[in-house]
Amino acid sequence: MDNPNKQTLGSLVVAALLFIGVIFLYNWPSSLSSELVLSQKTPRCHQPNLTNVEAYGDSLDSALAKASMGNKTVIIAIVNKAYADQDVKGDTTMLDLFLSSFWLGEGTKSLIDHLLIVAVDRTAYDRCQFLRLNCYKLETDGVDFEGEKLYMSQDFIKMMWRRTLFLLQVLKRGYNFVFTDTDIMWLRNPFIRLSKNETEDLQISTDMYFGDPWSEKHLINTGFYLVRSNNKTISLFEEWYGKKDNSTGKKEQDVLLDLIRSGIIGRLGLKVRFLDTLYFSGFCQDSKDFRAVTTVHANCCRSITAKVADLKVVIRDWKQFKRLEANSTMNFQWTKHDWCRQSWGPPK
């Protein structure tokens, strides 16, 4: 049988607790109640005091991390509307041809996952998003980079320098990269031919190859190169970009060539390999071996229309080679790049 004194004591404790609870609720600050309600109803990312950086992180860092290989290497291509959007009379775009080469090439399909498309205008960015690629929108401070920039025009030169500045920022974030123009067909995986020696700071394509991979006499082409992020390459890009305002009438490639000729490689202690056109070829100097060629660049060509026309022929030649390769002893040769030759106007 229960003790009546204990029952009485228990009742008093319960009553006291209820009384304290009523007093506490009566004096509860209304502002604190409102904050609790808001914190339950408002998602964290919508809180007004958070900046975009705090909520989402740095967009370039995110884009690079998403596209990166395990060794912090990315493939970067810069695209504008003229390269991403079809002309009224066109049946394809430069970007479409570029991407199709990854599909048709040997060992290149998976590299798409590590390709970062850097769009300099809204149309190029929207096209990239539609294709479900890794995309980054580069702010250009009000400069219009949408239309075709003819070789060596003022807008072309401005776009090349903007590209150089962006790539410097990538290096400063600790990423190695292969930069590639989109007028380059990736017919084989270039990483098989590029040196894996990490002491080589820069491996860069050439318009004309003279036989020695270390000779500084080569005519370089900044449309394709692999650069490793380190203090030496960051210094190179800083000095290179620093020449922008004192190089009127010169594109960034010409300025880099001047720096090489003036001894910057030795001065910064760089190790630079100049790539053989047997593997990394272009219209300036065709690869002589279909069985070795890795990339084909529509260099020595002035207009997008001409580049697209002749690159379509390159793709046709490649398909024909692949179809006949297994049972053929033919010495395949590239079709002449007539559109690009004519893009410079009639011979004088």
PDB file of all heavy atoms in Angstrom, residues 69 75 97-115 184-192 224 293-295 315 318 322:
ATOM      1  N   MET A  69      41.665  15.884 -63.080  1.00  0.00           N
ATOM      2  CA  MET A  69      42.130  14.514 -62.928  1.00  0.00           C
ATOM      3  C   MET A  69      42.716  14.376 -61.516  1.00  0.00           C
ATOM      4  O   MET A  69      42.835  15.360 -60.778  1.00  0.00           O
ATOM      5  CB  MET A  69      43.206  14.205 -63.979  1.00  0.00           C
ATOM      6  CG  MET A  69      42.742  14.402 -65.394  1.00  0.00           C
ATOM      7  SD  MET A  69      44.092  14.161 -66.599  1.00  0.00           S
ATOM      8  CE  MET A  69      43.317  14.838 -68.080  1.00  0.00           C
ATOM      9  N   ILE A  75      41.882  19.956 -68.643  1.00  0.00           N
ATOM     10  CA  ILE A  75      41.958  20.361 -70.048  1.00  0.00           C
ATOM     11  C   ILE A  75      41.065  21.592 -70.181  1.00  0.00           C
ATOM     12  O   ILE A  75      39.904  21.559 -69.763  1.00  0.00           O
ATOM     13  CB  ILE A  75      41.469  19.241 -70.977  1.00  0.00           C
ATOM     14  CG1 ILE A  75      42.280  17.964 -70.757  1.00  0.00           C
ATOM     15  CG2 ILE A  75      41.547  19.686 -72.446  1.00  0.00           C
ATOM     16  CD1 ILE A  75      41.631  16.728 -71.372  1.00  0.00           C
ATOM     17  N   LEU A  97      32.592  20.291 -83.842  1.00  0.00           N
ATOM     18  CA  LEU A  97      33.672  19.516 -84.467  1.00  0.00           C
ATOM     19  C   LEU A  97      34.718  19.110 -83.424  1.00  0.00           C
ATOM     20  O   LEU A  97      35.192  17.969 -83.410  1.00  0.00           O
ATOM     21  CB  LEU A  97      34.343  20.345 -85.566  1.00  0.00           C
ATOM     22  CG  LEU A  97      33.637  20.410 -86.922  1.00  0.00           C
ATOM     23  CD1 LEU A  97      34.372  21.392 -87.836  1.00  0.00           C
ATOM     24  CD2 LEU A  97      33.588  19.042 -87.580  1.00  0.00           C
ATOM     25  N   PHE A  98      35.057  20.049 -82.570  1.00  0.00           N
ATOM     26  CA  PHE A  98      36.024  19.782 -81.510  1.00  0.00           C
ATOM     27  C   PHE A  98      35.564  18.612 -80.644  1.00  0.00           C
ATOM     28  O   PHE A  98      36.325  17.662 -80.399  1.00  0.00           O
ATOM     29  CB  PHE A  98      36.171  21.056 -80.677  1.00  0.00           C
ATOM     30  CG  PHE A  98      37.043  20.936 -79.461  1.00  0.00           C
ATOM     31  CD1 PHE A  98      38.400  20.683 -79.566  1.00  0.00           C
ATOM     32  CD2 PHE A  98      36.501  21.125 -78.193  1.00  0.00           C
ATOM     33  CE1 PHE A  98      39.206  20.601 -78.431  1.00  0.00           C
ATOM     34  CE2 PHE A  98      37.290  21.050 -77.053  1.00  0.00           C
ATOM     35  CZ  PHE A  98      38.641  20.780 -77.173  1.00  0.00           C
ATOM     36  N   LEU A  99      34.317  18.650 -80.201  1.00  0.00           N
ATOM     37  CA  LEU A  99      33.795  17.593 -79.344  1.00  0.00           C
ATOM     38  C   LEU A  99      33.667  16.269 -80.090  1.00  0.00           C
ATOM     39  O   LEU A  99      33.901  15.195 -79.515  1.00  0.00           O
ATOM     40  CB  LEU A  99      32.435  18.009 -78.778  1.00  0.00           C
ATOM     41  CG  LEU A  99      32.453  19.233 -77.848  1.00  0.00           C
ATOM     42  CD1 LEU A  99      31.034  19.635 -77.477  1.00  0.00           C
ATOM     43  CD2 LEU A  99      33.278  18.960 -76.602  1.00  0.00           C
ATOM     44  N   SER A 100      33.329  16.333 -81.374  1.00  0.00           N
ATOM     45  CA  SER A 100      33.200  15.088 -82.146  1.00  0.00           C
ATOM     46  C   SER A 100      34.536  14.371 -82.280  1.00  0.00           C
ATOM     47  O   SER A 100      34.581  13.146 -82.368  1.00  0.00           O
ATOM     48  CB  SER A 100      32.615  15.384 -83.533  1.00  0.00           C
ATOM     49  OG  SER A 100      33.545  16.052 -84.364  1.00  0.00           O
ATOM     50  N   SER A 101      35.635  15.132 -82.259  1.00  0.00           N
ATOM     51  CA  SER A 101      36.949  14.488 -82.357  1.00  0.00           C
ATOM     52  C   SER A 101      37.234  13.639 -81.111  1.00  0.00           C
ATOM     53  O   SER A 101      37.900  12.604 -81.198  1.00  0.00           O
ATOM     54  CB  SER A 101      38.053  15.534 -82.562  1.00  0.00           C
ATOM     55  OG  SER A 101      38.333  16.277 -81.382  1.00  0.00           O
ATOM     56  N   PHE A 102      36.714  14.038 -79.964  1.00  0.00           N
ATOM     57  CA  PHE A 102      36.870  13.222 -78.754  1.00  0.00           C
ATOM     58  C   PHE A 102      36.116  11.905 -78.901  1.00  0.00           C
ATOM     59  O   PHE A 102      36.554  10.864 -78.393  1.00  0.00           O
ATOM     60  CB  PHE A 102      36.361  13.975 -77.524  1.00  0.00           C
ATOM     61  CG  PHE A 102      37.304  15.038 -77.015  1.00  0.00           C
ATOM     62  CD1 PHE A 102      37.373  16.278 -77.633  1.00  0.00           C
ATOM     63  CD2 PHE A 102      38.116  14.814 -75.917  1.00  0.00           C
ATOM     64  CE1 PHE A 102      38.226  17.272 -77.167  1.00  0.00           C
ATOM     65  CE2 PHE A 102      38.983  15.797 -75.447  1.00  0.00           C
ATOM     66  CZ  PHE A 102      39.036  17.028 -76.074  1.00  0.00           C
ATOM     67  N   TRP A 103      34.997  11.945 -79.582  1.00  0.00           N
ATOM     68  CA  TRP A 103      34.205  10.733 -79.819  1.00  0.00           C
ATOM     69  C   TRP A 103      34.886   9.818 -80.828  1.00  0.00           C
ATOM     70  O   TRP A 103      34.916   8.591 -80.674  1.00  0.00           O
ATOM     71  CB  TRP A 103      32.811  11.117 -80.307  1.00  0.00           C
ATOM     72  CG  TRP A 103      31.976   9.933 -80.730  1.00  0.00           C
ATOM     73  CD1 TRP A 103      31.678   9.538 -81.994  1.00  0.00           C
ATOM     74  CD2 TRP A 103      31.351   8.991 -79.859  1.00  0.00           C
ATOM     75  NE1 TRP A 103      30.914   8.407 -81.985  1.00  0.00           N
ATOM     76  CE2 TRP A 103      30.692   8.044 -80.679  1.00  0.00           C
ATOM     77  CE3 TRP A 103      31.280   8.843 -78.479  1.00  0.00           C
ATOM     78  CZ2 TRP A 103      29.958   6.971 -80.150  1.00  0.00           C
ATOM     79  CZ3 TRP A 103      30.555   7.778 -77.955  1.00  0.00           C
ATOM     80  CH2 TRP A 103      29.908   6.853 -78.792  1.00  0.00           C
ATOM     81  N   LEU A 104      35.473  10.402 -81.856  1.00  0.00           N
ATOM     82  CA  LEU A 104      36.067   9.622 -82.941  1.00  0.00           C
ATOM     83  C   LEU A 104      37.515   9.237 -82.678  1.00  0.00           C
ATOM     84  O   LEU A 104      38.041   8.323 -83.320  1.00  0.00           O
ATOM     85  CB  LEU A 104      35.997  10.424 -84.249  1.00  0.00           C
ATOM     86  CG  LEU A 104      34.595  10.743 -84.774  1.00  0.00           C
ATOM     87  CD1 LEU A 104      34.675  11.784 -85.895  1.00  0.00           C
ATOM     88  CD2 LEU A 104      33.900   9.475 -85.271  1.00  0.00           C
ATOM     89  N   GLY A 105      38.174   9.902 -81.766  1.00  0.00           N
ATOM     90  CA  GLY A 105      39.595   9.656 -81.515  1.00  0.00           C
ATOM     91  C   GLY A 105      39.857   8.366 -80.751  1.00  0.00           C
ATOM     92  O   GLY A 105      38.935   7.733 -80.205  1.00  0.00           O
ATOM     93  N   GLU A 106      41.117   7.997 -80.692  1.00  0.00           N
ATOM     94  CA  GLU A 106      41.524   6.789 -79.964  1.00  0.00           C
ATOM     95  C   GLU A 106      41.878   7.151 -78.523  1.00  0.00           C
ATOM     96  O   GLU A 106      42.786   7.943 -78.278  1.00  0.00           O
ATOM     97  CB  GLU A 106      42.737   6.154 -80.654  1.00  0.00           C
ATOM     98  CG  GLU A 106      42.448   5.622 -82.044  1.00  0.00           C
ATOM     99  CD  GLU A 106      43.692   5.026 -82.693  1.00  0.00           C
ATOM    100  OE1 GLU A 106      44.760   4.990 -82.044  1.00  0.00           O
ATOM    101  OE2 GLU A 106      43.599   4.602 -83.864  1.00  0.00           O
ATOM    102  N   GLY A 107      41.143   6.575 -77.587  1.00  0.00           N
ATOM    103  CA  GLY A 107      41.422   6.805 -76.171  1.00  0.00           C
ATOM    104  C   GLY A 107      41.089   8.197 -75.683  1.00  0.00           C
ATOM    105  O   GLY A 107      41.657   8.666 -74.687  1.00  0.00           O
ATOM    106  N   THR A 108      40.168   8.871 -76.367  1.00  0.00           N
ATOM    107  CA  THR A 108      39.869  10.265 -76.025  1.00  0.00           C
ATOM    108  C   THR A 108      38.490  10.464 -75.400  1.00  0.00           C
ATOM    109  O   THR A 108      38.234  11.529 -74.835  1.00  0.00           O
ATOM    110  CB  THR A 108      39.975  11.146 -77.288  1.00  0.00           C
ATOM    111  OG1 THR A 108      39.186  10.560 -78.335  1.00  0.00           O
ATOM    112  CG2 THR A 108      41.409  11.267 -77.757  1.00  0.00           C
ATOM    113  N   LYS A 109      37.612   9.484 -75.497  1.00  0.00           N
ATOM    114  CA  LYS A 109      36.228   9.681 -75.023  1.00  0.00           C
ATOM    115  C   LYS A 109      36.182  10.084 -73.554  1.00  0.00           C
ATOM    116  O   LYS A 109      35.468  11.009 -73.171  1.00  0.00           O
ATOM    117  CB  LYS A 109      35.404   8.408 -75.241  1.00  0.00           C
ATOM    118  CG  LYS A 109      35.103   8.072 -76.694  1.00  0.00           C
ATOM    119  CD  LYS A 109      34.194   6.847 -76.780  1.00  0.00           C
ATOM    120  CE  LYS A 109      33.875   6.488 -78.233  1.00  0.00           C
ATOM    121  NZ  LYS A 109      35.073   6.016 -78.957  1.00  0.00           N
ATOM    122  N   SER A 110      36.947   9.401 -72.717  1.00  0.00           N
ATOM    123  CA  SER A 110      36.885   9.670 -71.281  1.00  0.00           C
ATOM    124  C   SER A 110      37.487  11.023 -70.907  1.00  0.00           C
ATOM    125  O   SER A 110      37.223  11.546 -69.814  1.00  0.00           O
ATOM    126  CB  SER A 110      37.608   8.569 -70.502  1.00  0.00           C
ATOM    127  OG  SER A 110      38.989   8.545 -70.836  1.00  0.00           O
ATOM    128  N   LEU A 111      38.276  11.598 -71.811  1.00  0.00           N
ATOM    129  CA  LEU A 111      38.903  12.894 -71.506  1.00  0.00           C
ATOM    130  C   LEU A 111      37.884  14.028 -71.443  1.00  0.00           C
ATOM    131  O   LEU A 111      38.165  15.079 -70.859  1.00  0.00           O
ATOM    132  CB  LEU A 111      39.978  13.206 -72.551  1.00  0.00           C
ATOM    133  CG  LEU A 111      41.181  12.245 -72.589  1.00  0.00           C
ATOM    134  CD1 LEU A 111      42.150  12.661 -73.688  1.00  0.00           C
ATOM    135  CD2 LEU A 111      41.888  12.207 -71.233  1.00  0.00           C
ATOM    136  N   ILE A 112      36.707  13.830 -72.031  1.00  0.00           N
ATOM    137  CA  ILE A 112      35.645  14.834 -71.969  1.00  0.00           C
ATOM    138  C   ILE A 112      35.315  15.177 -70.514  1.00  0.00           C
ATOM    139  O   ILE A 112      34.987  16.320 -70.180  1.00  0.00           O
ATOM    140  CB  ILE A 112      34.380  14.323 -72.698  1.00  0.00           C
ATOM    141  CG1 ILE A 112      34.561  14.409 -74.222  1.00  0.00           C
ATOM    142  CG2 ILE A 112      33.144  15.110 -72.287  1.00  0.00           C
ATOM    143  CD1 ILE A 112      34.441  15.807 -74.786  1.00  0.00           C
ATOM    144  N   ASP A 113      35.421  14.181 -69.635  1.00  0.00           N
ATOM    145  CA  ASP A 113      35.103  14.414 -68.223  1.00  0.00           C
ATOM    146  C   ASP A 113      36.062  15.417 -67.587  1.00  0.00           C
ATOM    147  O   ASP A 113      35.747  16.012 -66.550  1.00  0.00           O
ATOM    148  CB  ASP A 113      35.172  13.102 -67.436  1.00  0.00           C
ATOM    149  CG  ASP A 113      34.098  12.111 -67.857  1.00  0.00           C
ATOM    150  OD1 ASP A 113      33.068  12.563 -68.395  1.00  0.00           O
ATOM    151  OD2 ASP A 113      34.278  10.899 -67.657  1.00  0.00           O
ATOM    152  N   HIS A 114      37.227  15.592 -68.189  1.00  0.00           N
ATOM    153  CA  HIS A 114      38.249  16.480 -67.621  1.00  0.00           C
ATOM    154  C   HIS A 114      38.426  17.754 -68.435  1.00  0.00           C
ATOM    155  O   HIS A 114      39.369  18.507 -68.225  1.00  0.00           O
ATOM    156  CB  HIS A 114      39.571  15.722 -67.518  1.00  0.00           C
ATOM    157  CG  HIS A 114      39.441  14.450 -66.739  1.00  0.00           C
ATOM    158  ND1 HIS A 114      39.131  14.434 -65.401  1.00  0.00           N
ATOM    159  CD2 HIS A 114      39.525  13.144 -67.131  1.00  0.00           C
ATOM    160  CE1 HIS A 114      39.057  13.179 -64.985  1.00  0.00           C
ATOM    161  NE2 HIS A 114      39.281  12.392 -66.008  1.00  0.00           N
ATOM    162  N   LEU A 115      37.490  17.989 -69.356  1.00  0.00           N
ATOM    163  CA  LEU A 115      37.500  19.181 -70.192  1.00  0.00           C
ATOM    164  C   LEU A 115      36.657  20.265 -69.540  1.00  0.00           C
ATOM    165  O   LEU A 115      35.484  20.047 -69.215  1.00  0.00           O
ATOM    166  CB  LEU A 115      36.944  18.857 -71.583  1.00  0.00           C
ATOM    167  CG  LEU A 115      36.686  20.035 -72.523  1.00  0.00           C
ATOM    168  CD1 LEU A 115      37.980  20.731 -72.902  1.00  0.00           C
ATOM    169  CD2 LEU A 115      35.943  19.548 -73.784  1.00  0.00           C
ATOM    170  N   ILE A 184      41.237  22.445 -82.811  1.00  0.00           N
ATOM    171  CA  ILE A 184      42.178  21.319 -82.777  1.00  0.00           C
ATOM    172  C   ILE A 184      41.387  20.029 -82.651  1.00  0.00           C
ATOM    173  O   ILE A 184      40.522  19.907 -81.773  1.00  0.00           O
ATOM    174  CB  ILE A 184      43.158  21.448 -81.585  1.00  0.00           C
ATOM    175  CG1 ILE A 184      44.067  22.662 -81.792  1.00  0.00           C
ATOM    176  CG2 ILE A 184      43.994  20.179 -81.423  1.00  0.00           C
ATOM    177  CD1 ILE A 184      45.068  22.892 -80.671  1.00  0.00           C
ATOM    178  N   MET A 185      41.661  19.085 -83.537  1.00  0.00           N
ATOM    179  CA  MET A 185      41.032  17.776 -83.470  1.00  0.00           C
ATOM    180  C   MET A 185      41.894  16.830 -82.637  1.00  0.00           C
ATOM    181  O   MET A 185      43.085  16.650 -82.932  1.00  0.00           O
ATOM    182  CB  MET A 185      40.830  17.192 -84.871  1.00  0.00           C
ATOM    183  CG  MET A 185      39.977  18.059 -85.810  1.00  0.00           C
ATOM    184  SD  MET A 185      38.247  18.261 -85.289  1.00  0.00           S
ATOM    185  CE  MET A 185      38.280  19.883 -84.508  1.00  0.00           C
ATOM    186  N   TRP A 186      41.303  16.263 -81.606  1.00  0.00           N
ATOM    187  CA  TRP A 186      41.994  15.316 -80.723  1.00  0.00           C
ATOM    188  C   TRP A 186      41.772  13.906 -81.273  1.00  0.00           C
ATOM    189  O   TRP A 186      40.759  13.265 -80.977  1.00  0.00           O
ATOM    190  CB  TRP A 186      41.456  15.439 -79.303  1.00  0.00           C
ATOM    191  CG  TRP A 186      41.923  16.666 -78.582  1.00  0.00           C
ATOM    192  CD1 TRP A 186      41.944  17.946 -79.050  1.00  0.00           C
ATOM    193  CD2 TRP A 186      42.432  16.711 -77.238  1.00  0.00           C
ATOM    194  NE1 TRP A 186      42.437  18.799 -78.089  1.00  0.00           N
ATOM    195  CE2 TRP A 186      42.744  18.073 -76.960  1.00  0.00           C
ATOM    196  CE3 TRP A 186      42.652  15.754 -76.250  1.00  0.00           C
ATOM    197  CZ2 TRP A 186      43.259  18.482 -75.733  1.00  0.00           C
ATOM    198  CZ3 TRP A 186      43.160  16.167 -75.029  1.00  0.00           C
ATOM    199  CH2 TRP A 186      43.469  17.507 -74.780  1.00  0.00           C
ATOM    200  N   LEU A 187      42.708  13.418 -82.068  1.00  0.00           N
ATOM    201  CA  LEU A 187      42.541  12.122 -82.738  1.00  0.00           C
ATOM    202  C   LEU A 187      43.091  10.963 -81.916  1.00  0.00           C
ATOM    203  O   LEU A 187      42.704   9.817 -82.125  1.00  0.00           O
ATOM    204  CB  LEU A 187      43.219  12.159 -84.117  1.00  0.00           C
ATOM    205  CG  LEU A 187      42.706  13.265 -85.055  1.00  0.00           C
ATOM    206  CD1 LEU A 187      43.416  13.205 -86.394  1.00  0.00           C
ATOM    207  CD2 LEU A 187      41.187  13.187 -85.231  1.00  0.00           C
ATOM    208  N   ARG A 188      43.998  11.268 -81.011  1.00  0.00           N
ATOM    209  CA  ARG A 188      44.499  10.267 -80.059  1.00  0.00           C
ATOM    210  C   ARG A 188      44.724  10.954 -78.719  1.00  0.00           C
ATOM    211  O   ARG A 188      44.822  12.176 -78.647  1.00  0.00           O
ATOM    212  CB  ARG A 188      45.805   9.620 -80.555  1.00  0.00           C
ATOM    213  CG  ARG A 188      45.624   8.706 -81.754  1.00  0.00           C
ATOM    214  CD  ARG A 188      46.919   7.952 -82.112  1.00  0.00           C
ATOM    215  NE  ARG A 188      46.674   6.957 -83.157  1.00  0.00           N
ATOM    216  CZ  ARG A 188      46.799   7.181 -84.459  1.00  0.00           C
ATOM    217  NH1 ARG A 188      47.185   8.394 -84.874  1.00  0.00           N
ATOM    218  NH2 ARG A 188      46.554   6.228 -85.329  1.00  0.00           N
ATOM    219  N   ASN A 189      44.804  10.158 -77.669  1.00  0.00           N
ATOM    220  CA  ASN A 189      45.023  10.686 -76.332  1.00  0.00           C
ATOM    221  C   ASN A 189      46.405  11.339 -76.254  1.00  0.00           C
ATOM    222  O   ASN A 189      47.426  10.655 -76.324  1.00  0.00           O
ATOM    223  CB  ASN A 189      44.918   9.556 -75.309  1.00  0.00           C
ATOM    224  CG  ASN A 189      45.058  10.035 -73.881  1.00  0.00           C
ATOM    225  OD1 ASN A 189      45.507  11.154 -73.623  1.00  0.00           O
ATOM    226  ND2 ASN A 189      44.676   9.191 -72.945  1.00  0.00           N
ATOM    227  N   PRO A 190      46.486  12.663 -76.093  1.00  0.00           N
ATOM    228  CA  PRO A 190      47.800  13.332 -76.102  1.00  0.00           C
ATOM    229  C   PRO A 190      48.657  13.016 -74.889  1.00  0.00           C
ATOM    230  O   PRO A 190      49.882  13.168 -74.939  1.00  0.00           O
ATOM    231  CB  PRO A 190      47.440  14.816 -76.151  1.00  0.00           C
ATOM    232  CG  PRO A 190      46.075  14.899 -75.569  1.00  0.00           C
ATOM    233  CD  PRO A 190      45.385  13.628 -75.956  1.00  0.00           C
ATOM    234  N   PHE A 191      48.031  12.576 -73.799  1.00  0.00           N
ATOM    235  CA  PHE A 191      48.808  12.306 -72.594  1.00  0.00           C
ATOM    236  C   PHE A 191      49.751  11.116 -72.788  1.00  0.00           C
ATOM    237  O   PHE A 191      50.715  10.957 -72.034  1.00  0.00           O
ATOM    238  CB  PHE A 191      47.885  12.074 -71.400  1.00  0.00           C
ATOM    239  CG  PHE A 191      47.160  13.323 -70.980  1.00  0.00           C
ATOM    240  CD1 PHE A 191      45.842  13.543 -71.361  1.00  0.00           C
ATOM    241  CD2 PHE A 191      47.803  14.295 -70.231  1.00  0.00           C
ATOM    242  CE1 PHE A 191      45.180  14.702 -71.000  1.00  0.00           C
ATOM    243  CE2 PHE A 191      47.149  15.465 -69.861  1.00  0.00           C
ATOM    244  CZ  PHE A 191      45.835  15.664 -70.246  1.00  0.00           C
ATOM    245  N   ILE A 192      49.486  10.309 -73.799  1.00  0.00           N
ATOM    246  CA  ILE A 192      50.392   9.196 -74.111  1.00  0.00           C
ATOM    247  C   ILE A 192      51.696   9.730 -74.702  1.00  0.00           C
ATOM    248  O   ILE A 192      52.784   9.192 -74.459  1.00  0.00           O
ATOM    249  CB  ILE A 192      49.703   8.217 -75.082  1.00  0.00           C
ATOM    250  CG1 ILE A 192      48.516   7.534 -74.378  1.00  0.00           C
ATOM    251  CG2 ILE A 192      50.681   7.171 -75.611  1.00  0.00           C
ATOM    252  CD1 ILE A 192      47.665   6.680 -75.285  1.00  0.00           C
ATOM    253  N   PHE A 224      48.086  25.014 -78.196  1.00  0.00           N
ATOM    254  CA  PHE A 224      48.094  23.728 -77.479  1.00  0.00           C
ATOM    255  C   PHE A 224      49.364  23.652 -76.647  1.00  0.00           C
ATOM    256  O   PHE A 224      50.471  23.732 -77.188  1.00  0.00           O
ATOM    257  CB  PHE A 224      48.046  22.553 -78.468  1.00  0.00           C
ATOM    258  CG  PHE A 224      47.970  21.207 -77.802  1.00  0.00           C
ATOM    259  CD1 PHE A 224      46.743  20.581 -77.583  1.00  0.00           C
ATOM    260  CD2 PHE A 224      49.125  20.553 -77.378  1.00  0.00           C
ATOM    261  CE1 PHE A 224      46.677  19.341 -76.961  1.00  0.00           C
ATOM    262  CE2 PHE A 224      49.072  19.315 -76.753  1.00  0.00           C
ATOM    263  CZ  PHE A 224      47.844  18.712 -76.536  1.00  0.00           C
ATOM    264  N   VAL A 293      49.919  10.487 -85.611  1.00  0.00           N
ATOM    265  CA  VAL A 293      49.333  11.799 -85.342  1.00  0.00           C
ATOM    266  C   VAL A 293      48.409  11.748 -84.124  1.00  0.00           C
ATOM    267  O   VAL A 293      47.657  10.787 -83.932  1.00  0.00           O
ATOM    268  CB  VAL A 293      48.585  12.334 -86.577  1.00  0.00           C
ATOM    269  CG1 VAL A 293      47.344  11.508 -86.903  1.00  0.00           C
ATOM    270  CG2 VAL A 293      48.231  13.806 -86.388  1.00  0.00           C
ATOM    271  N   THR A 294      48.485  12.784 -83.300  1.00  0.00           N
ATOM    272  CA  THR A 294      47.690  12.861 -82.077  1.00  0.00           C
ATOM    273  C   THR A 294      46.670  13.989 -82.146  1.00  0.00           C
ATOM    274  O   THR A 294      45.495  13.796 -81.853  1.00  0.00           O
ATOM    275  CB  THR A 294      48.618  13.063 -80.863  1.00  0.00           C
ATOM    276  OG1 THR A 294      49.496  11.936 -80.762  1.00  0.00           O
ATOM    277  CG2 THR A 294      47.829  13.200 -79.573  1.00  0.00           C
ATOM    278  N   THR A 295      47.125  15.180 -82.536  1.00  0.00           N
ATOM    279  CA  THR A 295      46.212  16.319 -82.702  1.00  0.00           C
ATOM    280  C   THR A 295      46.470  16.981 -84.050  1.00  0.00           C
ATOM    281  O   THR A 295      47.578  16.941 -84.570  1.00  0.00           O
ATOM    282  CB  THR A 295      46.406  17.369 -81.589  1.00  0.00           C
ATOM    283  OG1 THR A 295      47.761  17.829 -81.598  1.00  0.00           O
ATOM    284  CG2 THR A 295      46.070  16.788 -80.216  1.00  0.00           C
ATOM    285  N   ILE A 315      38.376  15.354 -90.456  1.00  0.00           N
ATOM    286  CA  ILE A 315      37.566  14.289 -89.850  1.00  0.00           C
ATOM    287  C   ILE A 315      37.235  13.214 -90.880  1.00  0.00           C
ATOM    288  O   ILE A 315      37.286  12.015 -90.589  1.00  0.00           O
ATOM    289  CB  ILE A 315      36.270  14.878 -89.249  1.00  0.00           C
ATOM    290  CG1 ILE A 315      36.592  15.759 -88.049  1.00  0.00           C
ATOM    291  CG2 ILE A 315      35.304  13.773 -88.862  1.00  0.00           C
ATOM    292  CD1 ILE A 315      37.187  15.028 -86.867  1.00  0.00           C
ATOM    293  N   TRP A 318      40.317  11.140 -91.434  1.00  0.00           N
ATOM    294  CA  TRP A 318      40.546  10.274 -90.274  1.00  0.00           C
ATOM    295  C   TRP A 318      39.619   9.055 -90.307  1.00  0.00           C
ATOM    296  O   TRP A 318      40.047   7.931 -90.054  1.00  0.00           O
ATOM    297  CB  TRP A 318      40.350  11.079 -88.993  1.00  0.00           C
ATOM    298  CG  TRP A 318      40.453  10.268 -87.735  1.00  0.00           C
ATOM    299  CD1 TRP A 318      39.438   9.931 -86.892  1.00  0.00           C
ATOM    300  CD2 TRP A 318      41.640   9.691 -87.172  1.00  0.00           C
ATOM    301  NE1 TRP A 318      39.912   9.188 -85.840  1.00  0.00           N
ATOM    302  CE2 TRP A 318      41.260   9.028 -85.984  1.00  0.00           C
ATOM    303  CE3 TRP A 318      42.977   9.684 -87.558  1.00  0.00           C
ATOM    304  CZ2 TRP A 318      42.173   8.356 -85.175  1.00  0.00           C
ATOM    305  CZ3 TRP A 318      43.897   9.012 -86.749  1.00  0.00           C
ATOM    306  CH2 TRP A 318      43.489   8.359 -85.585  1.00  0.00           C
ATOM    307  N   LYS A 322      40.757   5.170 -90.529  1.00  0.00           N
ATOM    308  CA  LYS A 322      40.352   4.180 -89.527  1.00  0.00           C
ATOM    309  C   LYS A 322      39.617   2.998 -90.161  1.00  0.00           C
ATOM    310  O   LYS A 322      39.765   1.856 -89.729  1.00  0.00           O
ATOM    311  CB  LYS A 322      39.468   4.824 -88.464  1.00  0.00           C
ATOM    312  CG  LYS A 322      40.155   5.867 -87.613  1.00  0.00           C
ATOM    313  CD  LYS A 322      41.320   5.282 -86.832  1.00  0.00           C
ATOM    314  CE  LYS A 322      40.867   4.309 -85.766  1.00  0.00           C
ATOM    315  NZ  LYS A 322      41.995   3.733 -85.013  1.00  0.00           N
TER     316      LYS A 322
END
